[in-house]
Amino acid sequence: MSGKTYYITTPIYYVNDVPHIGHAYTTLACDVMARFMRLDGYDVHFLTGTDEHGQKVEKAAAAAGMAPQAFTDKVSQAFRDLIPKMGYSPDNFIRTTEPRHYRACQALWEKLVAAGDLYLGKYAGWYSVRDETYFAESETEVGPDGKRRAISTGADVEWVEEASYFFRLSAWQDRLLAFYEQNPRFIAPESRRNEVISFVKGGLQDLSVSRTTFKWGVPVPNDPAHIMYVWLDALTNYITETGYPDPSAPNAKYWPADLHMVGKDIVRFHAVYWPAFLMAAGVAPPKRVFAHGWWTIEGQKMSKSLGNVVAPAALVDTYGLDQTRYFLLREVPFGNDGDFQRRAIVQRMDSDLANTYGNLCQRVLSMINKNCAAAVPVAGPLQAADSALLDRAAALLPQVRTLIGDQAFNEALITIWDVIGDANRYVDAQAPWALGKTDPARRDTVLWVLAEAIRRITLLVQPFMPTATAKILDQLAVPAQARSFAAMDTALASGTALPAPEGVFPRFVDPEAPAKPARAAKKA
């Protein structure tokens, strides 16, 4: 381990519903980042968890006939169950109902009081329970049914008047704009950065940060009639995990976070409120907030009423774990909205995985098994075509490292698959099956070059498809300690015994498709 740290977080997921494809997508992106950085020598801390306070949870628990804590225990488990199902590798799962989180929230509150950034007043305005968000009059509209809703989300809003503590957000406008200017990578992608800067330039109002009309939340220090606004509470989870406010805590080394991964609907909370809270309390803000897009399903917005909400577990059960992981990050430029289409995932499985990557591995390893005594072949002098393929494979790591650092997951996969395409074309051009008859030594060199290219490619695909790539590396007899990027230049050793090859990416067989009729036997 190099001593370089990398702290990455998902948003903590709200426990008023079960996990869907949007939750799976965010955590998957974080998992790929975490796995990549571990392979690249970083001391990684990857955090996910659940946001369990607020009026919405209190109401949902009441509707279910349960106490809030029992309700959150049950629904939080659904998010924990998704971790092994999707092959995620978090270092911890945090819940905002943990005692350590109460301590961190109250410590942050007291810092804001000491800084003079909190004051007691009265809130009167529109509030969405569903979004746990305050809206200005101009951000709402009255629908045909006479109900007032938030324009941006469509959620019903209600008029609220109550005593409240306020955070002096209005005092942070210029300081936030200066911070964005000095840290151009803080908000991504560019469209979200422009959106946030425009919002801040439009003027910031002081933010209500406590409630008195319900009780399910973190009590305000020295004023238990108030509980903290759920977003101040929720955002604090990221420093709770580092042991805040104890600078000597074991995890304190990970702050500031390197990346908060969020959906585009909550970028304002992470890129405006959160850095302002932290800087007011004398805490460094995170280094980067990336807000990705949303998924629709076959061209329609996901909704319970349409019955089209996609459960991640169902995707894995139908298409396979690595296939699902690959599709979600390959299909759409990360940051854009995407549309999940069944025919698209099947096409990716059959074309990209079975025909392109899987077929390359299968035919090369099968030829080695048959012609080279089931061992890594001996490489003779390299020709220009050999060096060209090996050079392209060797150039992948710095290229992919840059793309992953920018969260350009689909571009990273395109770049890797371009080299897989080169390897397939090299097989066809060199025709090792024919060389066996005319020049066996040259055949062995070609097969070694191919095996070595597959090894380099597969090391880089590991974060995306850890199970499938482990099988491929097993078939290349690459030891566990030689699967990090530090071992990228440790070439395959000629003579190493290889196991019998097995296919890794089968073509998709639709379990609901009607069976084809059996062919009639030919007459003798």
Side-chain angles (χ1 to χ4, degrees), residues 262-297:
V262 301
K264 66 180 182 179
D265 55 323
I266 57 174
V267 67
R268 184 184 302 181
F269 302 101
H270 286 79
V272 180
Y273 303 162
W274 183 225
F277 293 155
L278 290 170
M279 290 190 283
V283 179
K287 298 176 185 176
R288 185 168 169 88
V289 175
F290 193 105
H292 64 72
W294 289 336
W295 282 90
T296 52
I297 306 298

PDB file of all heavy atoms in Angstrom, residues 262-297:
ATOM      1  N   VAL A 262     -23.492  11.162  -6.390  1.00  0.00           N
ATOM      2  CA  VAL A 262     -24.908  11.421  -6.101  1.00  0.00           C
ATOM      3  C   VAL A 262     -25.708  11.441  -7.397  1.00  0.00           C
ATOM      4  O   VAL A 262     -25.157  11.543  -8.488  1.00  0.00           O
ATOM      5  CB  VAL A 262     -25.093  12.781  -5.372  1.00  0.00           C
ATOM      6  CG1 VAL A 262     -24.316  12.799  -4.064  1.00  0.00           C
ATOM      7  CG2 VAL A 262     -24.687  13.954  -6.256  1.00  0.00           C
ATOM      8  N   GLY A 263     -27.031  11.361  -7.250  1.00  0.00           N
ATOM      9  CA  GLY A 263     -27.920  11.582  -8.383  1.00  0.00           C
ATOM     10  C   GLY A 263     -28.097  13.073  -8.612  1.00  0.00           C
ATOM     11  O   GLY A 263     -27.926  13.884  -7.695  1.00  0.00           O
ATOM     12  N   LYS A 264     -28.475  13.448  -9.828  1.00  0.00           N
ATOM     13  CA  LYS A 264     -28.529  14.876 -10.166  1.00  0.00           C
ATOM     14  C   LYS A 264     -29.585  15.631  -9.367  1.00  0.00           C
ATOM     15  O   LYS A 264     -29.490  16.853  -9.225  1.00  0.00           O
ATOM     16  CB  LYS A 264     -28.780  15.050 -11.661  1.00  0.00           C
ATOM     17  CG  LYS A 264     -30.141  14.567 -12.152  1.00  0.00           C
ATOM     18  CD  LYS A 264     -30.288  14.798 -13.657  1.00  0.00           C
ATOM     19  CE  LYS A 264     -31.658  14.381 -14.164  1.00  0.00           C
ATOM     20  NZ  LYS A 264     -31.811  14.619 -15.616  1.00  0.00           N
ATOM     21  N   ASP A 265     -30.578  14.914  -8.807  1.00  0.00           N
ATOM     22  CA  ASP A 265     -31.633  15.592  -8.053  1.00  0.00           C
ATOM     23  C   ASP A 265     -31.167  16.120  -6.710  1.00  0.00           C
ATOM     24  O   ASP A 265     -31.829  16.967  -6.106  1.00  0.00           O
ATOM     25  CB  ASP A 265     -32.815  14.644  -7.852  1.00  0.00           C
ATOM     26  CG  ASP A 265     -32.414  13.330  -7.203  1.00  0.00           C
ATOM     27  OD1 ASP A 265     -31.315  12.825  -7.508  1.00  0.00           O
ATOM     28  OD2 ASP A 265     -33.200  12.789  -6.401  1.00  0.00           O
ATOM     29  N   ILE A 266     -30.010  15.635  -6.203  1.00  0.00           N
ATOM     30  CA  ILE A 266     -29.540  16.090  -4.890  1.00  0.00           C
ATOM     31  C   ILE A 266     -28.194  16.807  -4.970  1.00  0.00           C
ATOM     32  O   ILE A 266     -27.504  16.954  -3.974  1.00  0.00           O
ATOM     33  CB  ILE A 266     -29.491  14.936  -3.868  1.00  0.00           C
ATOM     34  CG1 ILE A 266     -28.608  13.781  -4.363  1.00  0.00           C
ATOM     35  CG2 ILE A 266     -30.897  14.441  -3.553  1.00  0.00           C
ATOM     36  CD1 ILE A 266     -28.415  12.684  -3.310  1.00  0.00           C
ATOM     37  N   VAL A 267     -27.846  17.304  -6.166  1.00  0.00           N
ATOM     38  CA  VAL A 267     -26.558  17.983  -6.301  1.00  0.00           C
ATOM     39  C   VAL A 267     -26.525  19.282  -5.498  1.00  0.00           C
ATOM     40  O   VAL A 267     -25.491  19.652  -4.940  1.00  0.00           O
ATOM     41  CB  VAL A 267     -26.220  18.228  -7.795  1.00  0.00           C
ATOM     42  CG1 VAL A 267     -27.175  19.224  -8.441  1.00  0.00           C
ATOM     43  CG2 VAL A 267     -24.779  18.707  -7.950  1.00  0.00           C
ATOM     44  N   ARG A 268     -27.639  19.988  -5.399  1.00  0.00           N
ATOM     45  CA  ARG A 268     -27.662  21.254  -4.668  1.00  0.00           C
ATOM     46  C   ARG A 268     -27.294  21.055  -3.199  1.00  0.00           C
ATOM     47  O   ARG A 268     -26.549  21.839  -2.626  1.00  0.00           O
ATOM     48  CB  ARG A 268     -29.039  21.902  -4.781  1.00  0.00           C
ATOM     49  CG  ARG A 268     -29.138  23.263  -4.129  1.00  0.00           C
ATOM     50  CD  ARG A 268     -30.554  23.819  -4.194  1.00  0.00           C
ATOM     51  NE  ARG A 268     -31.056  23.944  -5.557  1.00  0.00           N
ATOM     52  CZ  ARG A 268     -32.263  24.420  -5.860  1.00  0.00           C
ATOM     53  NH1 ARG A 268     -33.091  24.803  -4.884  1.00  0.00           N
ATOM     54  NH2 ARG A 268     -32.649  24.512  -7.112  1.00  0.00           N
ATOM     55  N   PHE A 269     -27.809  20.002  -2.595  1.00  0.00           N
ATOM     56  CA  PHE A 269     -27.518  19.750  -1.186  1.00  0.00           C
ATOM     57  C   PHE A 269     -26.022  19.481  -0.977  1.00  0.00           C
ATOM     58  O   PHE A 269     -25.429  19.937   0.005  1.00  0.00           O
ATOM     59  CB  PHE A 269     -28.323  18.549  -0.683  1.00  0.00           C
ATOM     60  CG  PHE A 269     -29.807  18.721  -0.833  1.00  0.00           C
ATOM     61  CD1 PHE A 269     -30.488  18.126  -1.874  1.00  0.00           C
ATOM     62  CD2 PHE A 269     -30.520  19.504   0.055  1.00  0.00           C
ATOM     63  CE1 PHE A 269     -31.861  18.286  -2.028  1.00  0.00           C
ATOM     64  CE2 PHE A 269     -31.896  19.679  -0.084  1.00  0.00           C
ATOM     65  CZ  PHE A 269     -32.564  19.069  -1.130  1.00  0.00           C
ATOM     66  N   HIS A 270     -25.427  18.739  -1.925  1.00  0.00           N
ATOM     67  CA  HIS A 270     -24.024  18.348  -1.779  1.00  0.00           C
ATOM     68  C   HIS A 270     -23.040  19.413  -2.233  1.00  0.00           C
ATOM     69  O   HIS A 270     -21.915  19.457  -1.742  1.00  0.00           O
ATOM     70  CB  HIS A 270     -23.767  17.060  -2.569  1.00  0.00           C
ATOM     71  CG  HIS A 270     -24.333  15.841  -1.907  1.00  0.00           C
ATOM     72  ND1 HIS A 270     -25.667  15.510  -1.982  1.00  0.00           N
ATOM     73  CD2 HIS A 270     -23.743  14.893  -1.131  1.00  0.00           C
ATOM     74  CE1 HIS A 270     -25.877  14.390  -1.297  1.00  0.00           C
ATOM     75  NE2 HIS A 270     -24.733  14.004  -0.771  1.00  0.00           N
ATOM     76  N   ALA A 271     -23.439  20.236  -3.181  1.00  0.00           N
ATOM     77  CA  ALA A 271     -22.504  21.199  -3.764  1.00  0.00           C
ATOM     78  C   ALA A 271     -22.720  22.628  -3.285  1.00  0.00           C
ATOM     79  O   ALA A 271     -21.883  23.492  -3.558  1.00  0.00           O
ATOM     80  CB  ALA A 271     -22.599  21.154  -5.288  1.00  0.00           C
ATOM     81  N   VAL A 272     -23.812  22.888  -2.575  1.00  0.00           N
ATOM     82  CA  VAL A 272     -24.075  24.227  -2.036  1.00  0.00           C
ATOM     83  C   VAL A 272     -24.140  24.178  -0.511  1.00  0.00           C
ATOM     84  O   VAL A 272     -23.295  24.750   0.186  1.00  0.00           O
ATOM     85  CB  VAL A 272     -25.384  24.823  -2.605  1.00  0.00           C
ATOM     86  CG1 VAL A 272     -25.620  26.223  -2.026  1.00  0.00           C
ATOM     87  CG2 VAL A 272     -25.327  24.893  -4.129  1.00  0.00           C
ATOM     88  N   TYR A 273     -25.127  23.467   0.022  1.00  0.00           N
ATOM     89  CA  TYR A 273     -25.318  23.451   1.477  1.00  0.00           C
ATOM     90  C   TYR A 273     -24.137  22.797   2.201  1.00  0.00           C
ATOM     91  O   TYR A 273     -23.634  23.325   3.192  1.00  0.00           O
ATOM     92  CB  TYR A 273     -26.602  22.696   1.850  1.00  0.00           C
ATOM     93  CG  TYR A 273     -27.862  23.220   1.220  1.00  0.00           C
ATOM     94  CD1 TYR A 273     -29.014  22.440   1.170  1.00  0.00           C
ATOM     95  CD2 TYR A 273     -27.933  24.502   0.676  1.00  0.00           C
ATOM     96  CE1 TYR A 273     -30.190  22.904   0.604  1.00  0.00           C
ATOM     97  CE2 TYR A 273     -29.105  24.977   0.100  1.00  0.00           C
ATOM     98  CZ  TYR A 273     -30.227  24.174   0.059  1.00  0.00           C
ATOM     99  OH  TYR A 273     -31.385  24.634  -0.506  1.00  0.00           O
ATOM    100  N   TRP A 274     -23.717  21.633   1.708  1.00  0.00           N
ATOM    101  CA  TRP A 274     -22.702  20.852   2.415  1.00  0.00           C
ATOM    102  C   TRP A 274     -21.357  21.581   2.524  1.00  0.00           C
ATOM    103  O   TRP A 274     -20.811  21.704   3.626  1.00  0.00           O
ATOM    104  CB  TRP A 274     -22.569  19.485   1.745  1.00  0.00           C
ATOM    105  CG  TRP A 274     -21.624  18.489   2.339  1.00  0.00           C
ATOM    106  CD1 TRP A 274     -20.734  17.714   1.654  1.00  0.00           C
ATOM    107  CD2 TRP A 274     -21.491  18.097   3.716  1.00  0.00           C
ATOM    108  NE1 TRP A 274     -20.056  16.881   2.493  1.00  0.00           N
ATOM    109  CE2 TRP A 274     -20.496  17.096   3.774  1.00  0.00           C
ATOM    110  CE3 TRP A 274     -22.093  18.510   4.901  1.00  0.00           C
ATOM    111  CZ2 TRP A 274     -20.096  16.485   4.967  1.00  0.00           C
ATOM    112  CZ3 TRP A 274     -21.696  17.916   6.107  1.00  0.00           C
ATOM    113  CH2 TRP A 274     -20.717  16.926   6.133  1.00  0.00           C
ATOM    114  N   PRO A 275     -20.774  22.104   1.446  1.00  0.00           N
ATOM    115  CA  PRO A 275     -19.513  22.831   1.622  1.00  0.00           C
ATOM    116  C   PRO A 275     -19.668  24.068   2.500  1.00  0.00           C
ATOM    117  O   PRO A 275     -18.742  24.423   3.236  1.00  0.00           O
ATOM    118  CB  PRO A 275     -19.088  23.185   0.195  1.00  0.00           C
ATOM    119  CG  PRO A 275     -20.303  23.030  -0.641  1.00  0.00           C
ATOM    120  CD  PRO A 275     -21.144  21.991   0.018  1.00  0.00           C
ATOM    121  N   ALA A 276     -20.845  24.714   2.441  1.00  0.00           N
ATOM    122  CA  ALA A 276     -21.056  25.883   3.304  1.00  0.00           C
ATOM    123  C   ALA A 276     -21.087  25.464   4.774  1.00  0.00           C
ATOM    124  O   ALA A 276     -20.460  26.110   5.630  1.00  0.00           O
ATOM    125  CB  ALA A 276     -22.352  26.592   2.919  1.00  0.00           C
ATOM    126  N   PHE A 277     -21.811  24.393   5.100  1.00  0.00           N
ATOM    127  CA  PHE A 277     -21.835  23.891   6.478  1.00  0.00           C
ATOM    128  C   PHE A 277     -20.410  23.592   6.956  1.00  0.00           C
ATOM    129  O   PHE A 277     -20.010  23.974   8.061  1.00  0.00           O
ATOM    130  CB  PHE A 277     -22.641  22.588   6.582  1.00  0.00           C
ATOM    131  CG  PHE A 277     -24.112  22.699   6.328  1.00  0.00           C
ATOM    132  CD1 PHE A 277     -24.836  21.589   5.893  1.00  0.00           C
ATOM    133  CD2 PHE A 277     -24.796  23.885   6.532  1.00  0.00           C
ATOM    134  CE1 PHE A 277     -26.192  21.660   5.661  1.00  0.00           C
ATOM    135  CE2 PHE A 277     -26.172  23.968   6.301  1.00  0.00           C
ATOM    136  CZ  PHE A 277     -26.873  22.845   5.861  1.00  0.00           C
ATOM    137  N   LEU A 278     -19.668  22.864   6.119  1.00  0.00           N
ATOM    138  CA  LEU A 278     -18.328  22.430   6.521  1.00  0.00           C
ATOM    139  C   LEU A 278     -17.378  23.598   6.713  1.00  0.00           C
ATOM    140  O   LEU A 278     -16.677  23.684   7.734  1.00  0.00           O
ATOM    141  CB  LEU A 278     -17.769  21.453   5.477  1.00  0.00           C
ATOM    142  CG  LEU A 278     -18.435  20.077   5.431  1.00  0.00           C
ATOM    143  CD1 LEU A 278     -17.967  19.314   4.201  1.00  0.00           C
ATOM    144  CD2 LEU A 278     -18.122  19.283   6.697  1.00  0.00           C
ATOM    145  N   MET A 279     -17.342  24.506   5.741  1.00  0.00           N
ATOM    146  CA  MET A 279     -16.421  25.636   5.853  1.00  0.00           C
ATOM    147  C   MET A 279     -16.783  26.516   7.040  1.00  0.00           C
ATOM    148  O   MET A 279     -15.908  27.034   7.730  1.00  0.00           O
ATOM    149  CB  MET A 279     -16.385  26.414   4.543  1.00  0.00           C
ATOM    150  CG  MET A 279     -15.700  25.647   3.407  1.00  0.00           C
ATOM    151  SD  MET A 279     -15.364  26.628   1.911  1.00  0.00           S
ATOM    152  CE  MET A 279     -16.995  26.706   1.178  1.00  0.00           C
ATOM    153  N   ALA A 280     -18.086  26.654   7.323  1.00  0.00           N
ATOM    154  CA  ALA A 280     -18.505  27.435   8.486  1.00  0.00           C
ATOM    155  C   ALA A 280     -18.019  26.797   9.783  1.00  0.00           C
ATOM    156  O   ALA A 280     -17.706  27.488  10.756  1.00  0.00           O
ATOM    157  CB  ALA A 280     -20.024  27.570   8.506  1.00  0.00           C
ATOM    158  N   ALA A 281     -17.947  25.464   9.792  1.00  0.00           N
ATOM    159  CA  ALA A 281     -17.507  24.738  10.978  1.00  0.00           C
ATOM    160  C   ALA A 281     -15.997  24.541  11.020  1.00  0.00           C
ATOM    161  O   ALA A 281     -15.486  23.875  11.924  1.00  0.00           O
ATOM    162  CB  ALA A 281     -18.203  23.384  11.027  1.00  0.00           C
ATOM    163  N   GLY A 282     -15.277  25.090  10.037  1.00  0.00           N
ATOM    164  CA  GLY A 282     -13.823  24.950  10.014  1.00  0.00           C
ATOM    165  C   GLY A 282     -13.342  23.607   9.520  1.00  0.00           C
ATOM    166  O   GLY A 282     -12.225  23.182   9.839  1.00  0.00           O
ATOM    167  N   VAL A 283     -14.175  22.912   8.719  1.00  0.00           N
ATOM    168  CA  VAL A 283     -13.834  21.596   8.178  1.00  0.00           C
ATOM    169  C   VAL A 283     -13.652  21.724   6.668  1.00  0.00           C
ATOM    170  O   VAL A 283     -14.437  22.397   5.995  1.00  0.00           O
ATOM    171  CB  VAL A 283     -14.934  20.559   8.489  1.00  0.00           C
ATOM    172  CG1 VAL A 283     -14.579  19.193   7.912  1.00  0.00           C
ATOM    173  CG2 VAL A 283     -15.175  20.456   9.992  1.00  0.00           C
ATOM    174  N   ALA A 284     -12.623  21.079   6.133  1.00  0.00           N
ATOM    175  CA  ALA A 284     -12.386  21.134   4.685  1.00  0.00           C
ATOM    176  C   ALA A 284     -13.536  20.487   3.923  1.00  0.00           C
ATOM    177  O   ALA A 284     -14.034  19.430   4.327  1.00  0.00           O
ATOM    178  CB  ALA A 284     -11.084  20.412   4.342  1.00  0.00           C
ATOM    179  N   PRO A 285     -13.988  21.081   2.835  1.00  0.00           N
ATOM    180  CA  PRO A 285     -15.044  20.450   2.032  1.00  0.00           C
ATOM    181  C   PRO A 285     -14.497  19.257   1.248  1.00  0.00           C
ATOM    182  O   PRO A 285     -13.279  19.089   1.122  1.00  0.00           O
ATOM    183  CB  PRO A 285     -15.493  21.571   1.091  1.00  0.00           C
ATOM    184  CG  PRO A 285     -14.370  22.537   1.059  1.00  0.00           C
ATOM    185  CD  PRO A 285     -13.592  22.394   2.331  1.00  0.00           C
ATOM    186  N   PRO A 286     -15.378  18.416   0.719  1.00  0.00           N
ATOM    187  CA  PRO A 286     -14.925  17.303  -0.115  1.00  0.00           C
ATOM    188  C   PRO A 286     -14.254  17.827  -1.375  1.00  0.00           C
ATOM    189  O   PRO A 286     -14.411  18.987  -1.749  1.00  0.00           O
ATOM    190  CB  PRO A 286     -16.206  16.541  -0.438  1.00  0.00           C
ATOM    191  CG  PRO A 286     -17.290  17.567  -0.302  1.00  0.00           C
ATOM    192  CD  PRO A 286     -16.845  18.472   0.806  1.00  0.00           C
ATOM    193  N   LYS A 287     -13.510  16.931  -2.045  1.00  0.00           N
ATOM    194  CA  LYS A 287     -12.770  17.348  -3.231  1.00  0.00           C
ATOM    195  C   LYS A 287     -13.628  17.363  -4.501  1.00  0.00           C
ATOM    196  O   LYS A 287     -13.349  18.123  -5.426  1.00  0.00           O
ATOM    197  CB  LYS A 287     -11.573  16.409  -3.448  1.00  0.00           C
ATOM    198  CG  LYS A 287     -10.566  16.444  -2.306  1.00  0.00           C
ATOM    199  CD  LYS A 287      -9.445  15.423  -2.525  1.00  0.00           C
ATOM    200  CE  LYS A 287      -8.502  15.370  -1.325  1.00  0.00           C
ATOM    201  NZ  LYS A 287      -7.471  14.303  -1.492  1.00  0.00           N
ATOM    202  N   ARG A 288     -14.668  16.531  -4.535  1.00  0.00           N
ATOM    203  CA  ARG A 288     -15.426  16.406  -5.787  1.00  0.00           C
ATOM    204  C   ARG A 288     -16.816  15.843  -5.506  1.00  0.00           C
ATOM    205  O   ARG A 288     -16.985  14.948  -4.667  1.00  0.00           O
ATOM    206  CB  ARG A 288     -14.674  15.492  -6.756  1.00  0.00           C
ATOM    207  CG  ARG A 288     -15.279  15.351  -8.173  1.00  0.00           C
ATOM    208  CD  ARG A 288     -14.255  14.664  -9.046  1.00  0.00           C
ATOM    209  NE  ARG A 288     -14.722  14.229 -10.338  1.00  0.00           N
ATOM    210  CZ  ARG A 288     -14.722  14.974 -11.451  1.00  0.00           C
ATOM    211  NH1 ARG A 288     -14.309  16.230 -11.396  1.00  0.00           N
ATOM    212  NH2 ARG A 288     -15.103  14.485 -12.609  1.00  0.00           N
ATOM    213  N   VAL A 289     -17.788  16.383  -6.213  1.00  0.00           N
ATOM    214  CA  VAL A 289     -19.161  15.875  -6.198  1.00  0.00           C
ATOM    215  C   VAL A 289     -19.544  15.577  -7.643  1.00  0.00           C
ATOM    216  O   VAL A 289     -19.490  16.467  -8.494  1.00  0.00           O
ATOM    217  CB  VAL A 289     -20.138  16.908  -5.605  1.00  0.00           C
ATOM    218  CG1 VAL A 289     -21.579  16.404  -5.715  1.00  0.00           C
ATOM    219  CG2 VAL A 289     -19.799  17.226  -4.149  1.00  0.00           C
ATOM    220  N   PHE A 290     -19.874  14.334  -7.938  1.00  0.00           N
ATOM    221  CA  PHE A 290     -20.300  13.971  -9.288  1.00  0.00           C
ATOM    222  C   PHE A 290     -21.776  13.595  -9.238  1.00  0.00           C
ATOM    223  O   PHE A 290     -22.181  12.708  -8.496  1.00  0.00           O
ATOM    224  CB  PHE A 290     -19.492  12.791  -9.834  1.00  0.00           C
ATOM    225  CG  PHE A 290     -19.681  12.607 -11.323  1.00  0.00           C
ATOM    226  CD1 PHE A 290     -18.684  12.972 -12.217  1.00  0.00           C
ATOM    227  CD2 PHE A 290     -20.865  12.088 -11.835  1.00  0.00           C
ATOM    228  CE1 PHE A 290     -18.870  12.815 -13.588  1.00  0.00           C
ATOM    229  CE2 PHE A 290     -21.056  11.939 -13.201  1.00  0.00           C
ATOM    230  CZ  PHE A 290     -20.057  12.303 -14.071  1.00  0.00           C
ATOM    231  N   ALA A 291     -22.578  14.276 -10.061  1.00  0.00           N
ATOM    232  CA  ALA A 291     -24.029  14.049 -10.086  1.00  0.00           C
ATOM    233  C   ALA A 291     -24.408  13.376 -11.404  1.00  0.00           C
ATOM    234  O   ALA A 291     -24.354  13.994 -12.468  1.00  0.00           O
ATOM    235  CB  ALA A 291     -24.765  15.373  -9.927  1.00  0.00           C
ATOM    236  N   HIS A 292     -24.778  12.122 -11.335  1.00  0.00           N
ATOM    237  CA  HIS A 292     -25.118  11.370 -12.552  1.00  0.00           C
ATOM    238  C   HIS A 292     -26.589  11.534 -12.909  1.00  0.00           C
ATOM    239  O   HIS A 292     -27.379  12.123 -12.162  1.00  0.00           O
ATOM    240  CB  HIS A 292     -24.761   9.897 -12.386  1.00  0.00           C
ATOM    241  CG  HIS A 292     -25.557   9.201 -11.317  1.00  0.00           C
ATOM    242  ND1 HIS A 292     -26.888   8.884 -11.452  1.00  0.00           N
ATOM    243  CD2 HIS A 292     -25.203   8.761 -10.077  1.00  0.00           C
ATOM    244  CE1 HIS A 292     -27.321   8.284 -10.379  1.00  0.00           C
ATOM    245  NE2 HIS A 292     -26.326   8.207  -9.512  1.00  0.00           N
ATOM    246  N   GLY A 293     -26.954  10.995 -14.066  1.00  0.00           N
ATOM    247  CA  GLY A 293     -28.320  11.133 -14.566  1.00  0.00           C
ATOM    248  C   GLY A 293     -29.244  10.045 -14.054  1.00  0.00           C
ATOM    249  O   GLY A 293     -28.885   9.224 -13.204  1.00  0.00           O
ATOM    250  N   TRP A 294     -30.455  10.033 -14.595  1.00  0.00           N
ATOM    251  CA  TRP A 294     -31.505   9.095 -14.192  1.00  0.00           C
ATOM    252  C   TRP A 294     -31.748   8.062 -15.277  1.00  0.00           C
ATOM    253  O   TRP A 294     -31.464   8.287 -16.449  1.00  0.00           O
ATOM    254  CB  TRP A 294     -32.820   9.848 -13.948  1.00  0.00           C
ATOM    255  CG  TRP A 294     -32.813  10.696 -12.719  1.00  0.00           C
ATOM    256  CD1 TRP A 294     -32.034  10.560 -11.618  1.00  0.00           C
ATOM    257  CD2 TRP A 294     -33.650  11.837 -12.469  1.00  0.00           C
ATOM    258  NE1 TRP A 294     -32.331  11.529 -10.686  1.00  0.00           N
ATOM    259  CE2 TRP A 294     -33.318  12.327 -11.184  1.00  0.00           C
ATOM    260  CE3 TRP A 294     -34.647  12.484 -13.197  1.00  0.00           C
ATOM    261  CZ2 TRP A 294     -33.954  13.433 -10.622  1.00  0.00           C
ATOM    262  CZ3 TRP A 294     -35.279  13.578 -12.636  1.00  0.00           C
ATOM    263  CH2 TRP A 294     -34.940  14.049 -11.356  1.00  0.00           C
ATOM    264  N   TRP A 295     -32.303   6.934 -14.862  1.00  0.00           N
ATOM    265  CA  TRP A 295     -32.700   5.885 -15.796  1.00  0.00           C
ATOM    266  C   TRP A 295     -34.204   5.910 -16.023  1.00  0.00           C
ATOM    267  O   TRP A 295     -34.972   6.027 -15.071  1.00  0.00           O
ATOM    268  CB  TRP A 295     -32.312   4.502 -15.255  1.00  0.00           C
ATOM    269  CG  TRP A 295     -30.865   4.175 -15.421  1.00  0.00           C
ATOM    270  CD1 TRP A 295     -29.868   4.442 -14.535  1.00  0.00           C
ATOM    271  CD2 TRP A 295     -30.253   3.544 -16.536  1.00  0.00           C
ATOM    272  NE1 TRP A 295     -28.661   4.014 -15.032  1.00  0.00           N
ATOM    273  CE2 TRP A 295     -28.867   3.452 -16.251  1.00  0.00           C
ATOM    274  CE3 TRP A 295     -30.732   3.041 -17.749  1.00  0.00           C
ATOM    275  CZ2 TRP A 295     -27.958   2.881 -17.149  1.00  0.00           C
ATOM    276  CZ3 TRP A 295     -29.834   2.467 -18.632  1.00  0.00           C
ATOM    277  CH2 TRP A 295     -28.466   2.391 -18.331  1.00  0.00           C
ATOM    278  N   THR A 296     -34.598   5.793 -17.273  1.00  0.00           N
ATOM    279  CA  THR A 296     -35.982   5.481 -17.605  1.00  0.00           C
ATOM    280  C   THR A 296     -36.034   4.013 -18.023  1.00  0.00           C
ATOM    281  O   THR A 296     -34.998   3.367 -18.213  1.00  0.00           O
ATOM    282  CB  THR A 296     -36.502   6.375 -18.746  1.00  0.00           C
ATOM    283  OG1 THR A 296     -35.571   6.300 -19.858  1.00  0.00           O
ATOM    284  CG2 THR A 296     -36.622   7.816 -18.290  1.00  0.00           C
ATOM    285  N   ILE A 297     -37.234   3.483 -18.160  1.00  0.00           N
ATOM    286  CA  ILE A 297     -37.403   2.067 -18.489  1.00  0.00           C
ATOM    287  C   ILE A 297     -38.205   1.955 -19.780  1.00  0.00           C
ATOM    288  O   ILE A 297     -39.376   2.346 -19.825  1.00  0.00           O
ATOM    289  CB  ILE A 297     -38.126   1.314 -17.350  1.00  0.00           C
ATOM    290  CG1 ILE A 297     -37.405   1.534 -16.011  1.00  0.00           C
ATOM    291  CG2 ILE A 297     -38.246  -0.167 -17.679  1.00  0.00           C
ATOM    292  CD1 ILE A 297     -35.978   1.029 -15.965  1.00  0.00           C
TER     293      ILE A 297
END
